[in-house]
Amino acid sequence: RNPMKASAIGKNLGVSDDSACDTSRSVMVANISPKADISATKKSLRANFRECGPIQRIKLLSVALDTVAGELGPANLLKAFIDFRSSSGADAAVAMSGCTLHGHTLKVVRSRRPTPLSSRRSQEARQRRRQKREATRGM
C-alpha cells in the first residue's frame, strides 16, 4: 500500500487520520486571561489539557494593548494553539470547551491551521548553515 496515495485519497474524501491531515491534532483555545504570566499560563494550559492526551506543543499568541484606552480589554484576551500527539487528544480537548481558567470560560475549537511538525524556514535555515559549515571546512 502506497502511503502517499492513501494520504491523497484521504484528503480528497475528507477523511482525517494523523498521517493525512495534521490539523486533526491541533486545537485553538480562546478567551485566555492576559493578566497571568505567560509561563504560568502555559503551565496552566498544560495542566488543564494533560488529561486529553500527550501534548506536543503549546503556542500562545502575543497580546496587544488596546490603542484607545492603553490597557488590556476583553478584545485582547489571549489565544493559544495546542498540538497533541494524536487526533484523539484534540477530540478530548474540544469536548472540554467551556471549562474555566483564571476566571475565564475557555472556548476550544479545532484549529484551521496545520500543525507545523518542523517549519520549512527552519529546515531551509539549517540546510544553509550546514552548507556554509561544509564550505568553510573544505577551504
Side-chain angles (χ1 to χ4, degrees), residues 8-86:
I9 292 170
K11 284 181 182 178
N12 291 338
L13 296 176
V15 176
S16 65
D17 65 5
D18 287 341
S19 63
C21 182
D22 286 339
T23 57
S24 67
R25 300 183 300 112
S26 183
V27 296
M28 195 249 331
V29 182
N31 206 28
I32 302 169
S33 172
K35 304 237 187 250
D37 179 25
I38 296 291
S39 62
T41 302
K42 278 188 172 185
K43 287 178 185 175
S44 298
L45 284 170
R46 190 171 293 278
N48 275 10
F49 289 97
R50 180 177 290 139
E51 65 190 43
C52 298
I55 296 172
Q56 181 174 343
R57 182 180 77 142
I58 296 177
K59 169 122 175 120
L60 266 158
L61 298 182
S62 61
V63 65
L65 292 177
D66 185 3
T67 54
V68 177
E71 58 186 39
L72 295 172
N76 297 34
L77 293 173
L78 292 173
K79 292 181 183 177
F81 290 96
I82 302 177
D83 301 332
F84 290 91
R85 295 202 183 272
S86 67

Side-chain angles (χ1 to χ4, degrees), residues 87-128:
S87 60
S88 60
D91 291 336
V94 170
M96 288 183 62
S97 187
C99 69
T100 58
L101 179 68
H102 302 297
H104 289 268
T105 303
L106 301 179
K107 180 181 177 185
V108 184
V109 295
R110 288 278 182 176
S111 173
R112 288 183 280 172
R113 66 158 182 84
T115 304
L117 296 176
S118 180
S119 84
R120 182 168 297 284
R121 273 190 201 160
S122 296
Q123 290 174 352
E124 290 170 355
R126 281 193 297 272
Q127 185 178 10
R128 283 192 303 271

